[in-house]
């Protein structure tokens, strides 16, 4: 299909393209997940819960997405740890945050490489996930980054290795298309200058709910445009 003309996408008044074929399925599936009880997501009626925010490559926990989530959900605990570079250690950090929290995980949000980690968390914990310009095949995206790297926010130096890419490859093979489509909500900007939006469009076309926005760059500027969408996803997962 020509760029921006994917099957199953409808355009709303904001110029936002939505995978409309998944919308009803998404709502029905979430409802079924809630009714499954202990084996499904740990939704708690009226109780305290946690939203986990996962930053991208060479970023940190104090990013714009964490601030956006805290502003959008002032009464909800938003956890946004700064992750080590090696994928194994990064996932161990995330799992420790989940296991060590007194409040159950209710939703996970991730951007770029953090979007891939959020996908992994969705597979492992069966909680709703919001992926912002996710790295679909991160071991390919980050192959050219092998060598010395510097955190773009903190200036901290580090090293990205071939073994790190292989760890991402193994994670991809373990989880690709294993997440439950009804839990996935993917937002991509068509002017992403770092990751090719077509990859996310093709991967998530029939896997979850895909929303395309005309602008925002890889940093996903203009987060307020999706505030109501994010609130809606969160509220649909709360037991009334």
């Amino acid at each position: 299909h020509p760029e921006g003309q994917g099957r199953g996408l409808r355009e709303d008044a904001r110029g936002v393209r939505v995978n409309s074929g998944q919308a009803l399925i998404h709502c029905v599936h979430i409802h079924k997940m809630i009714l499954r009880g202990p084996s499904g997501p740990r939704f708690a009626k009226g109780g305290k819960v946690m939203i986990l925010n996962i930053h991208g490559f060479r970023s940190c926990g104090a990013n714009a997405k964490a601030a956006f989530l805290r502003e959008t959900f002032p009464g909800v605990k938003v956890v946004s740890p700064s992750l080590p570079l090696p994928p194994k250690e990064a996932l161990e950090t995330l799992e420790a945050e989940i296991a060590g929290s007194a409040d159950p995980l209710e939703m996970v949000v991730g951007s770029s490489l953090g979007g891939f980690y959020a996908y992994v968390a969705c597979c492992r914990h069966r909680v709703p996930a919001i992926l912002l310009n996710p790295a679909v095949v991160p071991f390919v995206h980050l192959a050219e980054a092998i060598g010395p790297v510097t955190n773009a926010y903190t200036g901290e130096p580090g090293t990205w290795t071939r073994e790190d890419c292989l760890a991402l490859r193994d994670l991809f093979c373990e989880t690709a298309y294993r997440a439950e489509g009804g839990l996935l909500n993917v937002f991509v900007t068509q002017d992403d200058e770092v990751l090719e939006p077509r990859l996310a469009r093709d991967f998530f076309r029939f896997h979850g709910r895909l929303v395309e926005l005309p602008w925002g760059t890889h940093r996903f500027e203009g987060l307020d445009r999706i505030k109501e969408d994010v609130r809606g996803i969160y509220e649909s997962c709360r037991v009334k």
Side-chain angles (χ1 to χ4, degrees), residues 160-200:
W160 183 253
T161 68
R162 178 177 182 272
E163 288 69 28
D164 293 331
C165 283
L166 292 176
L168 290 177
R169 181 201 63 184
D170 292 345
L171 275 171
F172 177 84
C173 292
E174 172 193 331
T175 60
Y177 289 107
R178 300 292 177 86
E180 301 194 38
L183 297 175
L184 291 173
N185 301 272
V186 184
F187 295 82
V188 298
T189 56
Q190 294 172 351
D191 64 347
D192 186 337
E193 76 285 8
V194 175
L195 302 175
E196 171 52 60
R198 177 182 58 82
L199 293 176

